[in-house]
Structure formats: C-alpha cells, structure tokens
Amino acid sequence: MAGEILDNRGRGEVSWHFPKFHPESYKFAAIAAAASGLCAFFAWETLAWPLAALTLGILAFFRDPERVTPQGDRFIVAPADGLITLIQQVEPPRELVIDDGTGAPGLPSGPVTRISIFMSVFDVHINRAPLGGTVRRVVYIPGKFMNADLDKASEENERQHILIERSEGAMIGFTQIAGLVARRIVPFVKPGDMLAAGQRVGLIRFGSRVDVYLPAGTEPRVLMGQRTVAGETVLAEIGQQQLIEGVSQ
C-alpha cells in the first residue's frame, strides 16, 4: 500500500540489521581487546581467550537494537528490557512531587501504580521514553548499590528520576536504579528536551532496574513475571479521564 510504514525508521524496506553498539562500549571493549591481544602475544592463552570472550560480552551488553514503538497517543510503553518483578500501589518519589523551584508542576501526591522492571546483565540496557512529551525534571540521587531486585532499592540505591509531561498536561515519572554491579547511570536527556515515545533517554551499566509510576487511575496491561521490550511493550493506556485531568491541572 502506498505510504505504508515498512520499517522502524518509517521508510525503506523491512530487513534484518545487525544491532549497533552504544559508544559507551568502545573504551571498555578496547581495554579488554588490548589485554587479550597482549596475552596472546606472550602466549598466555589461558588469559587471552577469556579476555576475548569478555570483549564480546561487553559489546553484547551495550548493544543498541532498533525498536518499533506502537503508534497511539495513549500508550505507555516499557522504558526498559527485562522482567516485571513488582506491581504495587505506592506513593511516588518526593523528588517528582515537591516544588523543585523551576515552576514546572510535579506529580500529584497520592498512591499510584508502580511497575518495576529488573534488567539482568544479559538484557539491553538502553532505556527509552515511556511516552512522548517534554522532560520536566531529571533528578540524580547518590545512594547504595544493593540488589536492584529488592523493593527497598527504590529508596536506598543510587538512582535518577525523570519526569515527562505531555502536551495536554498528563505526566509520567520513571526512575533508573543502579544495582549490585551497575555503578553508573548515564543520562541522554535534560530538562526542556522534547521526546517521542520510545526515544532513547539513557542507560545503566551492568545490571539494574527501572520503576515506572503510572498516572493515577491507570490500570496496568502487564503481569508480574512478564518480560518487556523497551519501546515496544505496552505497559498501560492512559484513559480519557486522565487526559481530562491533565488538561485541567
């Protein structure tokens, strides 16, 4: 059909592409590859082969495949690849609620549904915007490096909150949380940036978790134990009532 979108870039023909690697991988892979080459030069094969495997593992960790984001203004898509380990009613983080002095509104107080997605070292670690809109807050908080699968990791681990506001005023917040192995959260966005749903917003190195705070009254469309694909899996759908409330705020 003329004008039909055939690929995830909105043009051309459908075909398989070898996944790209994020530039963050280059220095780590180069160090491992150089060490492997040095060991091979001195015939230290017991070290050379494991280091060569480590080089490939680093590249695999930082792979950045293309994703096809569902088209629909009401869809809230998963910001991370991984396993849904928690779906709970909680108060949103105070950093996303309180007045931050910029004049931009925060999330309303009161219990909301939080969906927690745990990313193992084998998952893609590029995080994506759950919906389109303007970035209102990016708040980094230093903390511990406990197992990201624990509930208390949301309040005690190193983390970064991001708040996105849609054009009609509806907002969603999500949090990147470092884990036992993850030691750095790398943001790609800043307040004022305008994002499309599924756009890359950052990454967390080497195993972590992302919490998504659904707008009040929004029911999740996923279950605990389900695996998600960043930018593709629909977590929930914003209802008409939430859109009306967003406009009236």
Side-chain angles (χ1 to χ4, degrees):
M1 180 182 297
E4 183 178 1
I5 295 176
L6 297 178
D7 71 354
N8 50 13
R9 299 178 184 84
R11 62 185 185 277
E13 297 295 330
V14 176
S15 61
W16 185 85
H17 294 273
F18 194 84
K20 297 183 298 182
F21 304 112
H22 191 271
E24 279 279 319
S25 68
Y26 298 162
K27 55 185 175 183
F28 297 108
I31 292 172
S36 177
L38 185 63
C39 290
F41 179 78
F42 288 103
W44 298 339
E45 293 185 359
T46 54
L47 291 177
W49 285 112
L51 286 170
L54 177 61
T55 303
L56 296 177
I58 291 172
L59 292 173
F61 175 87
F62 284 102
R63 64 193 185 280
D64 184 13
E66 296 292 343
R67 294 290 165 79
V68 182
T69 301
Q71 300 300 299
D73 291 339
R74 297 184 182 180
F75 291 150
I76 298 174
V77 298
D81 285 27
L83 183 70
I84 297 178
T85 56
L86 293 169
I87 300 178
Q88 298 175 309
Q89 288 289 311
V90 300
E91 291 284 338
R94 64 185 301 273
E95 293 84 6
L96 296 178
V97 175
I98 61 174
D99 183 357
D100 64 352
T102 65
L107 293 177
S109 58
V112 296
T113 300
R114 181 184 70 194
I115 299 176
S116 299
I117 303 172
F118 177 76
M119 296 180 289
S120 75
V121 293
F122 301 105
D123 289 311
V124 173
H125 275 60
I126 302 294
N127 299 148
R128 295 172 180 263
L131 48 67
T134 302
V135 178
R136 294 303 184 193
R137 298 184 187 182
V138 177
V139 184
Y140 169 77
I141 302 173
K144 301 177 182 179
F145 296 96
M146 300 185 299
N147 185 352
D149 207 18
L150 299 175
D151 185 26
K152 60 183 178 180
S154 296
E155 299 179 355
E156 298 188 21
N157 277 23
E158 178 174 323
R159 57 201 182 276
Q160 180 167 262
H161 302 297
I162 300 177
L163 180 65
I164 298 176
E165 182 181 14
R166 286 164 49 103
S167 58
E168 83 291 326
M171 291 182 289
I172 190 169
F174 61 103
T175 305
Q176 299 168 288
I177 303 172
L180 277 173
V181 183
R183 294 288 160 168
R184 188 184 176 197
I185 300 172
V186 183
F188 301 165
V189 298
K190 61 185 183 303
D193 287 348
M194 297 185 67
L195 305 176
Q199 184 172 332
R200 298 165 179 82
V201 297
L203 66 84
I204 317 173
R205 288 182 187 162
F206 308 118
S208 43
R209 169 176 149 191
V210 175
D211 288 347
V212 184
Y213 297 89
L214 301 181
T218 303
E219 293 294 327
R221 290 177 50 177
V222 290
L223 300 172
M224 287 181 58
Q226 181 176 340
R227 291 197 59 83
T228 61
V229 177
E232 293 191 352
T233 302
V234 176
L235 298 180
E237 186 174 350
I238 300 176
Q240 188 63 34
Q241 184 61 35
Q242 284 76 45
L243 295 179
I244 295 173
E245 290 174 356
V247 173
S248 62
Q249 289 179 355

